[in-house]
């Protein structure tokens, strides 16, 4: 199989157990094609995290405490 690029992912969610589960589960179930490069439980810090980590994708909980995930 040709080299499949890794998807760099940041997770923004206020549930640490859920975030940790994704950090462990995604690489294991995708043959390491998904790499969680950063996470935060603080919505206002999400923009800074994205600019630092340069992810391909951000997975954001929309139902976070104010100001929310939107």
């Amino acid at each position: 199989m040709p080299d499949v690029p890794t998807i760099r992912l940041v997770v923004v969610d206020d549930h640490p157990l859920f975030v940790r589960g994704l950090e462990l589960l995604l690489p294991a179930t995708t043959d390491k094609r998904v790499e969680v490069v950063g996470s935060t439980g603080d919505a206002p810090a999400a923009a800074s995290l994205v600019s630092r980590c340069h992810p391909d994708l951000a997975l954001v909980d929309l139902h976070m405490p104010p100001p929310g995930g939107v």
Side-chain angles (χ1 to χ4, degrees):
M1 176 154 73
D3 237 359
V4 179
T6 300
I7 297 171
R8 297 170 46 83
L9 175 75
V10 296
V11 180
V12 181
D13 195 298
D14 59 326
H15 295 93
L17 186 60
F18 177 73
V19 173
R20 185 63 182 142
L22 288 176
E23 290 172 341
L24 296 172
L25 186 66
L26 287 172
T29 59
T30 63
D31 293 328
K32 299 190 181 192
R33 288 177 295 179
V34 175
E35 175 187 7
V36 179
V37 294
S39 63
T40 183
D42 183 23
S48 174
L49 176 68
V50 168
S51 70
R52 270 193 332 270
C53 295
H54 303 286
D56 300 311
L57 183 66
L59 180 64
V60 181
D61 178 5
L62 298 180
H63 299 285
M64 291 180 59
V70 177

